[in-house]
Structures are given as structure tokens and as C-alpha cells.
Amino acid sequence: MGSLYRSEEMTLCQLFLQSEAAYACVSELGELGLVQFRDLNPDVSAFQRKFVNEVRRCDEMERKLRFLEKELEKDNIPQLDTGDLPEAPAPREMIDLEATFEKLENEMKEVNSNAEALKRNYLELTELKHILRKTQGFFEEAHATIDPYQAMTDPNMAEETVGLLGEEVRAPTTGQQPLRLGFVAGVIVRERMPAFERMLWRACRGNVFLKQANMDVPLEDPVTGDQVHKSVFIIFFQGDQLKTRVKKICEGFRATLYPCPETPAERREMAIGVMTRIEDLNTVLQQTRDHRHRVLVAAAKNMRSWLIKVRKIKAIYMTLNLFNLDVTQKCLIAECWCPVADLDRIQLGLRRGTEASGSSVPSILNRMATRESPPTYNRTNKFTSGFQSIVDAYGVAVYREVNPAPFTIITFPFLFAVMFGDFGHGLIMLCFAIWMILRERQLIAKKAHEDEMFGMFFSGRYMIMLMGIFSMYTGFVYNDFFSKSVNVFGSGWTVNDFTNSTGTRALDPNTTEWSGSPYWYGMDPVWQMSLNKISFLNTFKMKTSVILGIIHMFSGVILSLSNHRYFGNTLNIFCEFIPQVLFLSAIFLYLVCIIMAKWIYITPADSACAPSLLIGLINMVMFKYQKLDKNKTLCAVVPWYPGQQGLESFLVILAGLCIPWHLCLKPILLYMKHKGKFDKRRAPVTHVARTVANDTDDDEAALIHHDESDAPLLENHTTEEEKFELGDILVHQAIHSIEYFLNCVSHTASYLRLWALSLAHAQLSEVLWSMVLRMGFSMIPGYAGAIMLSAIFPTFALLTVGVLLIMEGLSAFLHALRLHWIEFQSKFYQGAGHLFVPFSFEAILEITSTNLEG
């Protein structure tokens, strides 16, 4: 299992980098992704660090690139993605990048401002064109019906002309000359027109005449680019006071006023001039769009490369801000965690960085002695990463403790399948997983895995594949194929008449209908039609769940021995591991043996007097053993093998002794050791100081060992010796003891969820078959039935996928997750470590892309 069984061996290193070579060396380490740097300036704010100006320059370049990205999105221009990841540019290339981005930004801003001005001018000319066209229609309509001046001066026509305004305009006396009316014309947003009309009527007391018409086509807003529907209006009034009032109202409603000649000839001449200017503007706008498109297309070819380069530069300088300067200001000092197995690759990367920078002084790598707990690093691939994520979600492993992930690869899909046992459902799940695996590259290229919902399925595609395979296996054992059984190996029953008054009847193995030989593998299909099917399957699945649960827990306890031996905790072996194993074996492994013996040795003829497991276990703990009476009414509680009473009494006493053993022995021995009763013995700790000169000559590399040993670092590292507190140790040991011994009972009962969910899944599948698809088979015979079946089958398929595969699958997944986190991992796994987070360009680019898209 390699490093998956235990995390990689880590070491704390110190780097000495020349100032001119630091950038290139950090760049090479970022490409490797094998080094986690420590912050040596925790008390210095981000604005007071050495490379803060460079980071700000990178932020400014990112801002300009985001501006260009938005412009590309506006024009729907795709970015060219060749799949290549350019290396981090040299520091001197930052100036060229800044100049390029500055030029592009200024050019785009200038093009945008010019295009906005042209669009605004085009909008004004377009509105003026509509005004001239609509007002010409107003005046022609007025001349065809009535003169507007006559309407304002003739009292008999006033009500008919301006009645829409809500109030009659009172005309002057009959002998007075007709007054000359003024008018204004403009456009307004269509939604504001009703309020605009009411305001005119109220403010002018009905002494205006308003005529409006909607524009046929929407107009483009030059700023936002949205389509806006507007209306053209013309307002007639009398006097300068009303003119001022009307203009203020137009200004308040953001209506745009345009000059409109009074005579038809002038309006016609102006319309011709407007049309000419619009045609010229169209030509200029098209040229502007073409120029903008050319600039953006040229930028799109390099946009992704520029983004990667800028993000790498920024990551390098932010990492350099974690370093310290020596007293000469010519050398940068860094501390980092890195895997011991990759020291040669790291040394090679430093050598490449030094050569790329042209520095004559090699970079130096020192291995430092430390008592600090290293980070946990488990190497994974696309197959094991999903299972490792499940383990890490509970808690990151303590450095070098046993990793549950390799065991989870098998046990997790198997326990899931125990609850999800159906060959047909497992086959659908397997096909879906295989499709994702075969289409892996295409789905990654289409970025389908970045979708939140589908991304979860895609990241666990190999897990889904194993869950499908195991579900097919358990479905084969249960003989369930979409809730129906298949007779593969020939039934062991010969039932001639299977019907009675209820349509089914119970099977009795004591009759001659049973041949005496069981079904070759799995469940006999005849149980599918029996009346006592549920009770038979419940008995089988419940006992199987108990057996699987106890084996699963016992394997977790056994794994704790590996941790104790590796960390040199001999005291924990004798004071914790041995009593835990004895207690679990005396009660629960004995229960497993009884179940297996009952399956093997109890014949159908003896089934009436078969011992009850639950009552037998209770009587075992209570030391209750009854004798067989004359009427044989107590056969269920009678010892059913020789020496049962003595063996069970011994096991109960042994289990009872394990409790004080686990509770008291360790604190007593620690107290005696502290008082000097025992010799103080400690496992040797590795102190390795290694200085590796980053040069091609081996003579320049010095290797110094101090008390080197193959023993691992201690499980808990402290910089200072902790004080011995007997009370704290007693409380901790009491909590640990109570938790373990009580959890042995509760966790065993918790595994019964395997039985409960398996039964629920089988019953739901059977209900779905009988209530949906069976109706299609039995309702209408012949061709009409085939048509009905074709209509019902999509409903059956939808409910199968939605309810049984997704909802039931998610339920079984969560229960299997709980069984691993609580029942299995709690026996040996602390999960109190911290994850190894290396400085990696690949991870930084992935996180940055996700944040930008979010």
C-alpha cells in the first residue's frame, strides 16, 4: 500500500537562497508542488513585507485582465485554450506584461468611450428621426380633421379636442384674434408615459394638448446595451409660463426634447439631413466594432496564458514574503516541510532555478531537527483520491498513524452494497460509472466536472463503480433483480401446489417439499413467493449484519496495535489493546461463533428447540442457566453444547476484569513511572541535520547525522515537558474506557442498520414493481397492453432512478459513511493531524479559476 497505509515521512528543511536566484528557485518548487513553506514573519503585516510592491503590481495586472475578460464575454469571444501551462516569466518580463496590459486597457477604454459617444449620437439621431416622422403624422392628421389653433380658440370644439386631458380649455372671447400656440416634441420611456401625462394635466391645469405614439422598434441604450421601448410625444401650450413648466416636467421625467420645425418643408429637409447623418454613423460604428473585435480576438489568443503567468508571479512573490532576510540582505532564508522521499527532486529543482537565474552561488538545503508534529501527506491518484477525501472529511490523520483509506476502498462499497443489494440497480450504477470513466477526458475538457452536482459524482466515479460491482454481488446473493428472483442453479424445493386461499403459503423445511440440499449460491428463488419470506430474510440479514459489524469493529481494534507498535507505545498495548481485544472477543466474537454454529449444526428438525441468541446472550451476562423440565418447555434457554455454562461464565468474568484493567492500570503505571519506580525509557528521536549544496559536485554536499535511528517521531510532540497531572490522566482514561466499553454494545446494534436498510430497499423495489410495472403487464392483454406498458415504463424508470438509485443510494451512502467514521475509525484513528498543503502552481490555478467562476 506504500504511503497510503501511512503518510509520507516528512522533514523540516531550511533553505538559503541568493536574492537573485530566489525567484527562479521558488518558481521551480511551485512547479514540483512538494514543499509547504512556513511563515517566518507572523508578526509582520502584509503591507510591511519586502515584496508588497510586486504583489500590488500583480493585483493591478489581474484587474486589467479581468477587465479584458469582461469585454470578451460581452462580445462572446472564446478564449483560446491550448492546454499548455506556461512557466512563470522572469521578473524582468513583468515590465513588458504591464506595458502590454496598459496598452490594451487604454485602447479598449478609448474604443468603448468612442463607441459609447457614437451610440449616443446615433440614439439621438434615431429618436429625432422618429420624432420628425411621428409629428409629421400628427400635423397631417390635425389638418385632415381640425386645426389645432381653432381647437384652442373655438369654445364649441374645446371639449372634443382636449377632453382627454380631463378639463375643458376656456377660449377667449369671440372678437379676439386666434392666439399662436407653441409646442415641444421629444421622447420618453414608454413605462413613464401614463404618469407623465397625469403630471402634465395636473401641473398645467389641463391647458396643454398632448399627442403621443409608441415607437415600433426598441432602441439600444448606449451605456448598458439594453433594449428600451420609448414613445414620441408632442405638447401644445400657450405662453412662456406654460412652456417653462412643461420643460421642467419633461426634465423631471427624463424625457429628451428635440427641436422640431413648424413647417412641413423644414421638417422634410431636417429629416433628409438626419437620415444622411445616420447612414454615416452606421458606417463609423461598424468600423469601430470591427476594430474592437480585432483587438479582442488578438487578446483572446493570449488571455489564458497571461492569466496563468500573472497568477504564478503573484504566488511566487507572496511566497517570498514568507521568507526572512539575513543580516547582509543578500540571502533569503526559508523553512519548509517536504517529503523525505522527494528531497532529491527538490534539490534538482533548486539547481535548475539557480542555473536559470545565472547565480554563481548554489542554494543550500538543510534538514532541521524538530519536535513539532509534521503535516500529513498521503499520495493519492484519481482512483484513491475519492476514498481519501472521505477519510479526511472526518479528520486528517495524525502524522504517520494508520490511514483508513486503503481499507475503506473495499469495506465502504461493500457495506453500501449490503444495504443496496439489487443486481439490476447495481448494474445501472456500474454502467453510469463506466460511462464517466470512459468519457473522463471529454468531460474534463468540457469542464462538466465543475458543475457542483455532477462534479460530486464525477470525483467519485471509481467509488461508484465499486459500489455498483458490490451491489451486483449482494444482489446476486439476495437473488434480487429489480425485486424479482431468478432461478439460476435450480431450486432445492419441489412445490407442486403453491396457491391457497391467500395466493401464497409458508414454506416449511420439515416437509418433503424440501430436497435437503440448499440452493447452490445465494437465496433460493422459491422464497420470493412464500408467505414467510420476510421473516426468513429478516433472520438471515440481521445475523449477517451482526457478523459483519463485529468483524469490522474487531479489525479496527487490530489496526490500533499497528499504531501502538509503530509509535513505541508499549504501555498502550498492555493497558488498552489487550483488554479491548479480550472484552470484544469474550462477548461479541463469542456471539459470532454461536451464530455460525447455529447455522451449521441446527437442522430443520431441531429448529423448534433452537437456542435464542438474544435471550442466550442476556442469560450469559446474568449467569442464568435453567434446566430442562419434564415437559421440555424451556428448551430455548437450555445449554445446547457441553461445557456451555463454564465457558460462558469464564468469558463474562474475563470481560468484567477487562474494565478495571483498562481503566486503572495505565494511570497507576504512569504515576509509578513518574515517581521513579520504573526506569525512564524513551524511544530515540531522529536528529538529522543535512546540508545539501545545490551544485553538481558531490564534494560540496555535507551530510551530518546525530543519533540517527529508524524509529519514528513520537505521536505527540511538545516543545516543553508537560507537567504530570494524575487527575487529568484518570479523567481521560475514564472517558476513554466508558466510551469504548459502552460503544462496543451500541456500535454492534448500530450495524443493524445494514439489515434495516437492506429490507427497506428490497420492499421499496417490490412495491415499485407491483404498483407500477406489474400494472402494465396485467391491465390490458395484446397489442393494447404493449402500448400501455410503453407508457408506464418511463414512469417506472423515472421512479427507479429518482427514488431507488438516487434517494435510497444517498441514504445507504450516508449510513455506510457513518459506520466507517464512528464504528470503525474510532477504534484506532485519532484524526487530529493537519494536512500537508504544498506550494503548487497547479493547485493555486485551480482554486483561483474556481473562485473567479463562482
Side-chain angles (χ1 to χ4, degrees):
M1 296 181 184
S3 64
L4 194 61
Y5 180 71
R6 292 192 189 276
S7 60
E8 287 283 341
E9 184 179 355
M10 307 295 290
T11 182
L12 181 63
C13 295
Q14 191 175 38
L15 295 176
F16 293 91
L17 308 175
Q18 293 300 311
S19 298
E20 62 273 12
Y23 180 94
C25 291
V26 173
S27 174
E28 291 293 335
L29 295 179
E31 297 291 347
L32 291 176
L34 297 171
V35 173
Q36 176 181 337
F37 290 101
R38 302 173 64 187
D39 189 1
L40 301 182
N41 307 297
D43 300 328
V44 181
S45 66
F47 304 101
Q48 296 176 341
R49 306 206 175 192
K50 179 176 176 57
F51 300 98
V52 64
N53 292 328
E54 285 78 3
V55 174
R56 287 175 177 171
R57 290 166 61 188
C58 293
D59 289 335
E60 182 65 17
M61 287 191 291
E62 279 190 320
R63 182 195 63 80
K64 295 174 181 177
L65 288 175
R66 286 195 298 269
F67 167 74
L68 293 176
E69 275 189 318
K70 291 180 180 179
E71 296 299 319
L72 290 173
E73 292 177 0
K74 288 181 182 178
D75 287 15
N76 295 323
I77 299 176
Q79 300 180 23
L80 181 62
D81 187 2
T82 59
D84 298 332
L85 295 177
E87 295 183 355
R92 56 181 176 273
E93 294 184 28
M94 281 185 64
I95 301 175
D96 298 335
L97 291 175
E98 287 176 322
T100 302
F101 300 158
E102 184 72 21
K103 179 182 177 182
L104 282 174
E105 184 187 29
N106 293 335
E107 187 172 2
M108 285 306 305
K109 287 183 176 179
E110 184 179 358
V111 170
N112 289 342
S113 61
N114 292 338
E116 184 177 343
L118 290 173
K119 288 181 180 179
R120 186 178 291 108
N121 195 4
Y122 179 79
L123 176 65
E124 294 173 354
L125 291 175
T126 306
E127 292 177 348
L128 181 57
K129 179 186 72 172
H130 284 281
I131 286 175
L132 294 174
R133 183 180 301 170
K134 297 293 183 181
T135 53
Q136 182 65 25
F138 295 159
F139 285 117
E140 290 177 356
E141 180 183 354
H143 284 298
T145 56
I146 186 171
D147 189 1
Y149 302 111
Q150 184 180 0
M152 297 293 293
T153 56
D154 189 351
N156 298 324
M157 303 180 64
E159 182 177 358
E160 179 182 356
T161 306
V162 296
L164 293 175
L165 298 178
E167 185 175 326
E168 181 182 291
V169 177
R170 299 190 180 276
T173 60
T174 308
Q176 189 176 1
Q177 295 294 329
L179 297 177
R180 185 174 181 82
L181 298 179
F183 68 91
V184 293
V187 296
I188 190 173
V189 178
R190 188 177 299 176
E191 289 78 8
R192 299 175 185 168
M193 193 66 203
F196 178 65
E197 187 173 356
R198 287 194 300 269
M199 180 59 70
L200 279 173
W201 175 75
R202 292 172 181 172
C204 300
R205 300 181 181 274
N207 294 318
V208 294
F209 178 77
L210 172 68
K211 191 70 174 178
Q212 60 94 14
N214 295 330
M215 292 185 184
D216 299 332
V217 293
L219 302 179
E220 181 183 354
D221 189 288
V223 179
T224 62
D226 299 332
Q227 299 294 322
V228 182
H229 294 271
K230 294 189 176 183
S231 299
V232 176
F233 65 87
I234 184 170
I235 306 173
F236 294 94
F237 51 84
Q238 180 182 355
D240 294 337
Q241 185 176 3
L242 281 179
K243 179 179 180 181
T244 304
R245 190 174 300 175
V246 167
K247 287 187 175 181
K248 286 184 178 180
I249 294 174
C250 293
E251 182 181 354
F253 279 85
R254 297 182 182 179
T256 307
L257 301 179
Y258 291 94
C260 183
E262 297 182 0
T263 63
E266 293 177 347
R267 287 195 294 271
R268 191 177 301 109
E269 182 181 356
M270 177 178 284
I272 295 173
V274 168
M275 294 300 297
T276 304
R277 293 176 60 188
I278 287 177
E279 292 178 359
D280 296 339
L281 269 179
N282 276 329
T283 304
V284 177
L285 275 172
Q286 186 59 40
Q287 293 176 353
T288 304
R289 294 191 191 99
D290 293 341
H291 176 66
R292 170 188 169 88
H293 186 77
R294 287 193 299 269
V295 173
L296 290 177
V297 168
K301 295 179 181 179
N302 301 314
M303 179 60 65
R304 186 173 182 275
S305 174
W306 287 338
L307 284 170
I308 294 174
K309 288 181 179 180
V310 171
R311 289 167 187 168
K312 284 187 175 182
I313 295 172
K314 182 179 178 181
I316 291 172
Y317 281 116
M318 292 185 69
T319 303
L320 290 175
N321 277 332
L322 305 178
F323 297 177
N324 265 340
L325 279 171
D326 68 340
V327 292
T328 62
Q329 300 289 317
K330 294 182 180 180
C331 180
L332 290 174
I333 304 173
E335 292 183 5
C336 60
W337 292 103
C338 57
V340 174
D342 295 320
L343 283 176
D344 293 336
R345 296 178 60 190
I346 295 171
Q347 178 186 352
L348 183 60
L350 292 174
R351 184 180 294 115
R352 287 198 303 264
T354 304
E355 293 173 354
S357 65
S359 175
S360 59
V361 180
S363 300
I364 300 175
L365 176 69
N366 284 341
R367 289 184 63 180
M368 302 173 61
T370 180
R371 299 184 63 83
E372 183 179 353
S373 179
T376 301
Y377 175 43
N378 293 296
R379 297 185 192 270
T380 58
N381 51 37
K382 59 185 179 181
F383 178 80
T384 59
S385 60
F387 298 97
Q388 187 64 54
S389 299
I390 288 179
V391 174
D392 291 341
Y394 174 80
V396 180
V398 174
Y399 175 66
R400 300 292 285 170
E401 78 169 331
V402 173
N403 183 18
F407 309 98
T408 305
I409 293 175
I410 300 300
T411 58
F412 183 85
F414 177 72
L415 292 183
F416 170 86
V418 172
M419 297 178 280
F420 197 77
D422 191 288
F423 192 92
H425 300 158
L427 181 62
I428 296 175
M429 189 177 296
L430 177 63
C431 293
F432 177 62
I434 291 176
W435 174 79
M436 287 191 293
I437 293 171
L438 295 179
R439 304 272 303 173
E440 183 176 322
R441 293 184 179 179
Q442 292 86 335
L443 292 174
I444 293 177
K446 294 179 181 178
K447 297 184 178 180
H449 64 288
E450 294 179 1
D451 180 76
E452 184 177 1
M453 183 63 68
F454 184 77
M456 291 189 294
F457 292 104
F458 184 78
S459 60
R461 56 195 180 277
Y462 293 98
M463 187 185 305
I464 296 175
M465 180 187 69
L466 289 180
M467 290 192 299
I469 293 174
F470 280 104
S471 296
M472 292 173 63
Y473 168 74
T474 54
F476 183 74
V477 172
Y478 298 157
N479 206 341
D480 271 345
F481 186 85
F482 293 110
S483 79
K484 308 306 292 182
S485 296
V486 180
N487 190 358
V488 180
F489 305 109
S491 175
W493 295 76
T494 54
V495 183
N496 297 324
D497 184 13
F498 213 99
T499 60
N500 59 3
S501 59
T502 61
T504 58
R505 66 182 178 85
L507 294 178
D508 187 0
N510 289 316
T511 62
T512 58
E513 294 176 341
W514 186 49
S515 63
S517 59
Y519 194 66
W520 188 78
Y521 198 84
M523 288 292 170
D524 197 308
V526 75
W527 289 103
Q528 184 69 25
M529 299 178 290
S530 66
L531 191 62
N532 54 343
K533 165 192 172 184
I534 298 297
S535 60
F536 173 75
L537 291 179
N538 278 350
T539 303
F540 168 74
K541 292 183 178 180
M542 180 175 62
K543 293 180 174 64
T544 304
S545 301
V546 172
I547 293 173
L548 293 176
I550 293 175
I551 293 175
H552 199 214
M553 289 191 300
F554 193 81
S555 62
V557 177
I558 294 299
L559 287 175
S560 66
L561 175 63
S562 177
N563 280 334
H564 296 327
R565 293 183 60 187
Y566 183 82
F567 292 115
N569 296 327
T570 308
L571 188 64
N572 287 348
I573 296 177
F574 290 100
C575 299
E576 292 183 357
F577 171 74
I578 293 179
Q580 287 176 0
V581 170
L582 291 178
F583 181 85
L584 195 63
S585 302
I587 304 296
F588 299 99
L589 280 184
Y590 175 71
L591 177 62
V592 173
C593 295
I594 292 178
I595 294 174
M596 300 297 293
K598 186 176 179 180
W599 276 346
I600 295 173
Y601 295 109
I602 298 297
T603 62
D606 301 331
S607 59
C609 249
S612 173
L613 297 176
L614 180 60
I615 296 176
L617 189 64
I618 295 174
N619 290 334
M620 170 183 170
V621 177
M622 298 178 63
F623 298 99
K624 183 179 179 182
Y625 302 97
Q626 299 185 18
K627 299 294 184 181
L628 181 66
D629 62 0
K630 296 180 180 180
N631 298 323
K632 298 183 179 181
T633 57
L634 300 176
C635 61
V637 294
V638 171
W640 58 290
Y641 66 88
Q644 179 182 358
Q645 180 175 354
L647 177 61
E648 290 183 352
S649 300
F650 170 75
L651 292 177
V652 173
I653 293 173
L654 178 62
L657 292 176
C658 290
I659 297 176
W661 182 356
H662 190 280
L663 175 65
C664 303
L665 184 59
K666 182 177 178 180
I668 292 174
L669 293 179
L670 289 176
Y671 179 76
M672 295 175 64
K673 181 178 180 181
H674 178 70
K675 291 299 184 180
K677 298 296 182 181
F678 293 155
D679 295 334
K680 295 182 179 180
R681 292 174 295 179
R682 293 179 56 189
V685 181
T686 305
H687 298 279
V688 182
R690 179 172 182 172
T691 304
V692 181
N694 186 15
D695 195 14
T696 56
D697 297 334
D698 294 336
D699 296 336
E700 295 180 4
L703 181 63
I704 304 174
H705 297 273
H706 298 285
D707 191 18
E708 183 177 0
S709 174
D710 292 334
L713 293 176
L714 294 179
E715 182 176 0
N716 296 317
H717 300 284
T718 54
T719 55
E720 297 179 359
E721 291 292 336
E722 296 183 359
K723 295 181 179 180
F724 181 83
E725 294 290 345
L726 181 61
D728 294 343
I729 294 176
L730 286 173
V731 171
H732 178 270
Q733 194 67 19
I735 294 174
H736 185 43
S737 301
I738 294 172
E739 179 185 16
Y740 177 79
F741 293 113
L742 290 183
N743 284 346
C744 283
V745 180
S746 62
H747 288 177
T748 303
S750 180
Y751 278 96
L752 292 177
R753 70 184 69 237
L754 299 174
W755 155 54
L757 266 75
S758 175
L759 178 64
H761 184 79
Q763 291 302 306
L764 280 175
S765 181
E766 186 173 352
V767 167
L768 189 61
W769 174 275
S770 59
M771 298 297 291
V772 180
L773 197 60
R774 187 177 179 182
M775 296 172 58
F777 286 110
S778 59
M779 287 180 61
I780 304 175
Y783 293 104
I787 297 175
M788 179 64 68
L789 182 62
S790 63
I792 292 177
F793 181 78
T795 304
F796 173 77
L798 182 63
L799 292 175
T800 298
V801 174
V803 177
L804 294 179
L805 287 180
I806 296 180
M807 296 180 61
E808 275 288 307
L810 179 61
S811 175
F813 181 91
L814 294 177
H815 283 283
L817 195 64
R818 180 243 154 78
L819 291 177
H820 279 77
W821 281 357
I822 308 301
E823 278 73 17
F824 175 60
Q825 293 180 187
S826 63
K827 302 297 185 294
F828 67 97
Y829 187 69
Q830 295 186 26
H834 55 282
L835 196 63
F836 176 65
V837 184
F839 171 64
S840 171
F841 287 144
E842 182 178 359
I844 292 172
L845 293 174
E846 183 178 355
I847 294 173
T848 308
S849 300
T850 304
N851 292 337
L852 289 176
E853 291 173 3

